[in-house]
Amino acid sequence: MKIIQTKMLFIEKPDSFVADRIAAGCFIMVENKFLILKRAESQSQSGTWGLPAGGINSDEEIDEGMVRELYEETGLKFDKNELKHVQKFYVKIYQNFEFDIYMVKLNIMPEIKIDKNEHTDFKWVTRDEALKLSLILGFKESMDYFFDEFQNK
């Protein structure tokens, strides 16, 4: 198994790592395509593409926060039992945070309702199509893990 170990993304918790926050993201899959969102100008890393994702509130379980974020960012309602946990990453970019990745498989592409304050566009893409876009920091590495390790299990 290939272990991702970049200067910003870790599978194993680094020594003395303390998370400033917890976040989660989700691969919403329809066949070989998944949903990505383009970050608005008001957001950090504006203009980049990434998964539907966001911060988990201190009073939420991670899967519950992921369900909330999916609804806020896409208009899609899921039950936490529909989500499959993929991996927890320990991220060192601007701050230290834990990032849990989930996935959910759908049979058809649903209607997406993005919050224009957070995102300006969305696309259903293949991995190769996503790699041609300007991606949020760490997304390529987490996508590599998802497709190379998780999907092949």
Side-chain angles (χ1 to χ4, degrees), residues 7-146:
K7 291 182 178 173
M8 66 177 117
L9 195 67
F10 303 85
I11 287 179
E12 293 184 20
K13 187 175 182 178
D15 291 339
S16 72
F17 181 93
V18 177
D20 298 316
R21 66 187 189 103
I22 298 173
C26 187
F27 282 91
I28 302 174
M29 303 293 302
V30 178
E31 296 179 7
N32 69 333
K33 294 197 173 214
F34 58 96
L35 180 69
I36 57 173
L37 308 175
K38 187 174 186 180
R39 297 175 66 81
E41 291 300 317
S42 62
Q43 302 294 307
S44 64
Q45 299 186 59
S46 64
T48 59
W49 293 86
L51 294 175
I56 305 303
N57 297 329
S58 60
D59 62 341
E60 293 177 310
E61 294 295 322
I62 298 171
D63 54 0
E64 293 168 344
M66 184 75 265
V67 167
R68 175 187 51 76
E69 283 290 341
L70 286 170
Y71 180 70
E72 290 175 1
E73 296 199 350
T74 67
L76 299 177
K77 291 184 178 183
F78 294 101
D79 182 274
K80 67 181 185 177
N81 296 321
E82 294 177 88
L83 305 179
K84 181 172 177 92
H85 188 260
V86 173
Q87 180 65 47
K88 177 185 289 292
F89 290 105
Y90 300 91
V91 183
K92 292 182 171 187
I93 298 179
Y94 305 115
Q95 59 182 335
N96 291 346
F97 64 96
E98 295 177 12
F99 187 67
D100 285 81
I101 295 182
Y102 291 84
M103 72 156 293
V104 61
K105 289 186 179 183
L106 303 176
N107 294 323
I108 59 170
M109 289 181 187
E111 179 182 348
I112 302 299
K113 297 176 187 168
I114 58 173
D115 176 350
K116 293 289 187 178
N117 294 316
E118 292 191 27
H119 300 96
T120 59
D121 201 3
F122 70 91
K123 292 183 181 193
W124 292 94
V125 295
T126 63
R127 178 187 191 178
D128 289 339
E129 291 167 340
L131 290 171
K132 295 175 185 171
L133 300 171
S134 177
L135 303 175
I136 194 166
L137 288 174
F139 183 38
K140 180 192 178 304
E141 293 83 359
S142 58
M143 185 170 42
D144 287 346
Y145 178 88
F146 178 76

